[in-house]
Amino acid sequence: MFGLAVVVLSLALSLPAVGDELLRQEVEHLESAKTPTVSGVPLFSGRLLGEVYRERAYRAAWDQARAEALQKIARRSIAHGFVPDDFHATAIARIIDAGQLDAGTAASARAAAEILLSDSLLRYIHHRRFGKYSGRQIDPDWIFVDRADAEALRSDMQAVLASPDLASALTKRLPNPSFYQHLKSGYRRYLQLADAYPDGWEPIASGTPLRPGMRDARVPLIRQRLVLTEDYPATAPADAEVYDEPLADAIRQLQARSGLAEDGVVGPNTLWALNLPISDRLRSIRANLERMRWLYNELSDDFLLVDVAGFRLHLIRDGQTIWTTPIIVGTAETQTPMFRDAVEHIVFNPTWAVPSSIQKTMQHTSDQFRVIDRSTGRAVSGVDGRDYKRYRLVQAAGPDNALGQVKFMFPNRHAIYLHDTPAKHLFGRSARTYSHGCIRVREPLTLAELLLGKHGWSRDAIDGVVAKARTRDVQLDEHLPVLLYYLTAMADDQGRVGFRRDVYGRDLSLFAALDGPAHQDRITFPQPDSGLQAAVSDAEP
């Protein structure tokens, strides 16, 4: 704390005095304004800026050198899929060119520059930590994200403003998980491709599905496309028109990233993935970088990533993917939502309480189900178990149970969890949208072993519990974060991007928001005279 105070004091002494009283008056006016603006530029949160400056005793935070550093940060924000003017890049250039922060400039002009620069920094921190847009507004039916914490934003602002190196301070404080870094790397590659191919690339013609060993005039163009996307080395094959095994291996890697069957066959879906225009790829990456920002705040290095659109589950330890397995997700009518939670316990040999939405569609009820009277809680027989209003159905544990041999619980209001399934044949499909919203895992006992290994469990111990066919609940000492992401673009650790079909039709609403104004409704301030967080935002009365 003493070191930070020294830095703050030295910075304050080196900055030109705007005039504490004038700056206070300007900031307090903006705090109370319904739509705060400075020099015609809308501010993101007059209230939060007011709190930041009050903590600074209304001392100036900016000089010419620091403004230039912020300008570079704004310009480089393109790498994250932002637009520099999201952070007032043009206005900052005018401030710098006009010398608006110089001591000889009128105090009112310096105060305006001071506030606008701080608003730029606030926007950058907010957008990087929580996202520019609100998933609540983009898709309120299927995307559930926490609000942005005003306390965290203010803490970031003060720490960065106290640092002599803005860029370094931001890098240290803002989230940057590996999956975000990988997609950002892919975005940089496609920006370069867009410059190299301003008119786009030549589409690969449709035709008979191409299988390894076949000869086809389209093969050279396929190979060239994969060289451009860094899926294939730039080497000359023995026969340019033969679809050889090295090229098939590259196609299989592309298929894996794109959520397609990894069969090496260039059919209609793989051809779609190959032909997707560069402009569409750039837009898709920008949108999915934004989606990632909605859930990644304060993420630990250990977590589960449910890749809904890619139909894969990834276990990440120390920031690196150590295991992955295919999954089945919800149908278009019963979509798997996007949200974040934490796995708290694992249930072996679970029973299944049939949801009403499924119960009312059942044609009959077999002896596998117990019928429970909702009013008495007692088991009954000789009644119509399909009457979901009066009865509920419970399927006993066993190999035919709809949840299989194990489920992974992260209690949430959506009633979503991970579980086994007896319908293993569905994992052979490429587009695996068959569930009622929960996530079915192909290798659930391996996942249980990986999660419980830190708790002293072996695979033999797990198999022994399963063999007893009795329900057992095992609590995790450390809850493991789980992120349910709907990502139509995701990259591997080489920055090679896989583009997936928008099976839920969620892209268009996010595409329409790109380049539009930021959403302010995510900021939550502490309720007055209370330590509780209230759902209060700048956008609400």
Side-chain angles (χ1 to χ4, degrees):
M1 287 298 294
F2 178 75
L4 179 60
V6 170
V7 172
V8 172
L9 179 59
S10 63
L11 282 172
L13 291 175
S14 67
L15 293 167
V18 166
D20 296 350
E21 182 58 24
L22 176 59
L23 185 55
R24 181 187 65 78
Q25 291 174 6
E26 292 290 335
V27 169
E28 288 180 351
H29 169 72
L30 294 170
E31 279 188 277
S32 60
K34 186 174 182 180
T35 55
T37 62
V38 166
S39 302
V41 178
L43 300 182
F44 194 61
S45 174
R47 177 175 176 179
L48 192 47
L49 288 175
E51 293 180 358
V52 168
Y53 275 102
R54 195 156 37 250
E55 289 183 0
R56 293 180 58 82
Y58 301 100
R59 294 290 303 173
W62 300 95
D63 60 14
Q64 189 83 350
R66 290 166 69 77
E68 290 172 357
L70 184 61
Q71 183 185 40
K72 289 181 181 178
I73 291 167
R75 287 174 174 170
R76 292 172 181 170
S77 69
I78 291 173
H80 296 272
F82 294 122
V83 178
D85 274 340
D86 284 339
F87 314 108
H88 312 318
T90 301
I92 293 173
R94 287 197 297 266
I95 289 171
I96 293 171
D97 292 343
Q100 201 170 328
L101 294 167
D102 294 344
T105 305
S108 58
R110 281 185 283 131
E114 173 77 20
I115 294 168
L116 189 140
L117 289 163
S118 291
D119 184 72
S120 169
L121 180 62
L122 170 59
R123 285 173 180 268
Y124 188 83
I125 291 171
H126 174 275
H127 295 1
R128 280 288 315 280
R129 187 175 284 285
F130 299 107
K132 178 180 176 181
Y133 307 105
S134 169
R136 296 167 180 263
Q137 293 190 28
I138 298 295
D139 193 342
D141 294 328
W142 299 108
I143 298 174
F144 306 93
V145 296
D146 292 336
R147 292 186 181 273
D149 180 17
E151 298 284 348
L153 291 170
R154 190 169 66 245
S155 175
D156 284 340
M157 284 283 290
Q158 296 292 21
V160 174
L161 290 174
S163 172
D165 187 336
L166 295 180
S168 177
L170 287 167
T171 298
K172 290 177 181 177
R173 294 190 70 88
L174 295 179
N176 195 29
S178 57
F179 56 83
Y180 185 79
Q181 295 177 48
H182 297 159
L183 189 56
K184 230 180 89 205
S185 176
Y187 188 54
R188 181 174 63 250
R189 176 61 179 151
Y190 277 104
L191 287 172
Q192 294 169 348
L193 284 173
D195 288 339
Y197 295 87
D199 297 324
W201 46 36
E202 179 185 351
I204 301 166
S206 59
T208 303
L210 189 58
R211 301 177 184 278
M214 293 176 63
R215 173 182 292 275
D216 195 292
R218 296 172 295 170
V219 171
L221 189 54
I222 292 173
R223 185 175 284 109
Q224 179 192 27
R225 183 66 41 82
L226 294 178
V227 169
L228 291 176
T229 58
E230 299 184 348
D231 288 284
Y232 188 85
T235 56
D239 190 329
E241 291 194 353
V242 171
Y243 183 32
D244 56 20
E245 196 56 36
L247 184 57
D249 285 341
I251 287 291
R252 291 186 189 100
Q253 293 179 33
L254 171 70
Q255 291 170 331
R257 294 198 306 277
S258 304
L260 302 174
E262 300 167 40
D263 55 11
V265 177
V266 182
N269 288 327
T270 300
L271 200 61
W272 171 86
L274 286 165
N275 275 335
L276 193 65
I278 296 174
S279 58
D280 288 0
R281 295 178 186 229
L282 286 170
R283 181 178 61 174
S284 181
I285 294 175
R286 287 186 64 200
N288 285 281
L289 285 169
E290 174 67 8
R291 281 192 176 114
M292 289 177 174
R293 291 188 285 262
W294 290 342
L295 297 182
Y296 73 3
N297 185 47
E298 301 293 346
L299 183 64
S300 68
D301 289 335
D302 294 351
F303 57 93
L304 283 173
L305 194 156
V306 178
D307 181 9
V308 175
F311 313 113
R312 309 283 295 185
L313 171 70
H314 306 278
L315 175 61
I316 287 83
R317 296 288 192 194
D318 296 323
Q320 302 299 316
T321 301
I322 66 165
W323 182 77
T324 185
T325 190
I327 58 174
I328 292 168
V329 299
T331 66
E333 293 73 28
T334 58
Q335 299 180 19
T336 299
M338 180 170 158
F339 67 100
R340 174 175 164 179
D341 214 295
V343 179
E344 297 181 5
H345 58 107
I346 299 173
V347 182
F348 293 105
N349 300 311
T351 59
W352 180 45
V354 182
S356 297
S357 60
I358 299 178
Q359 184 180 350
K360 63 184 179 182
T361 65
M362 296 174 69
Q363 299 300 313
H364 65 278
T365 55
S366 69
D367 293 339
Q368 296 179 0
F369 297 92
R370 286 189 303 141
V371 182
I372 310 296
D373 190 305
R374 292 184 184 275
S375 61
T376 66
R378 295 177 180 176
V380 295
S381 60
V383 299
D384 186 358
R386 295 173 300 173
D387 185 351
Y388 66 94
K389 294 183 179 179
R390 183 169 181 181
Y391 306 110
R392 62 186 178 90
L393 299 179
V394 178
Q395 186 181 26
D400 296 325
N401 187 279
L403 305 185
Q405 298 174 312
V406 60
K407 66 178 179 179
F408 304 82
M409 300 300 295
F410 37 101
N412 57 83
R413 64 187 179 91
H414 317 293
I416 298 294
Y417 46 89
L418 304 168
H419 66 86
D420 184 16
T421 176
K424 303 293 188 184
H425 66 284
L426 293 177
F427 288 107
R429 311 282 176 85
S430 55
R432 295 186 289 275
T433 52
Y434 297 104
S435 83
H436 283 78
C438 286
I439 301 99
R440 305 176 192 173
V441 182
R442 189 175 74 175
E443 301 173 70
L445 293 180
T446 301
L447 177 60
E449 179 184 7
L450 290 167
L451 298 191
L452 292 175
K454 296 176 66 174
H455 304 268
W457 284 68
S458 66
R459 181 57 183 264
D460 287 343
I462 290 172
D463 290 342
V465 169
V466 170
K468 292 178 181 178
R470 292 198 297 269
T471 302
R472 179 168 177 182
D473 193 315
V474 179
Q475 297 289 326
L476 296 183
D477 294 338
E478 298 179 7
H479 296 173
L480 183 68
V482 55
L483 286 68
L484 281 70
Y485 264 129
Y486 183 77
L487 300 172
T488 51
M490 192 173 179
D492 64 14
D493 58 5
Q494 302 299 310
R496 296 173 298 194
V497 184
F499 297 91
R500 293 82 176 274
R501 295 279 192 182
D502 181 16
V503 293
Y504 289 162
R506 295 182 188 172
D507 275 352
L508 289 181
S509 57
L510 182 51
F511 289 167
L514 292 177
D515 297 334
H519 294 158
Q520 298 167 289
D521 74 321
R522 291 193 71 180
I523 300 181
T524 303
F525 291 88
Q527 196 167 15
D529 302 319
S530 172
L532 299 175
Q533 292 290 321
V536 179
S537 77
D538 287 350
E540 297 171 339

